Amino acid sequence: MKNQGHELGGNYVVLENTNAGNTISGDRDSISGQQTDVTHMGNAYSCPPQLVGL
């Protein structure tokens, strides 16, 4: 996320939301699940360097 924010010209990123995806599989006798992905969403800002500690 920081790298993508930098590519957009930002020098400050705020994490707004994190979602974890799960996969559930099995049959009537057993069910299993595991975390398969994580998605972070946020905003990148271009702030005066002195305000963000640069």
Side-chain angles (χ1 to χ4, degrees):
M1 183 192 262
K2 287 176 18 178
N3 291 339
Q4 289 178 344
H6 179 73
E7 288 172 10
L8 294 171
N11 61 359
Y12 190 80
V13 175
V14 177
L15 178 63
E16 299 290 342
N17 193 11
T18 300
N19 294 319
N22 295 306
T23 299
I24 299 175
S25 62
D27 56 27
R28 67 180 194 167
D29 296 323
S30 66
I31 296 176
S32 64
Q34 60 184 337
Q35 184 174 328
T36 56
D37 59 46
V38 175
T39 303
H40 299 292
M41 292 188 283
N43 293 304
Y45 299 95
S46 179
C47 301
Q50 66 273 18
L51 292 180
V52 293
L54 298 176

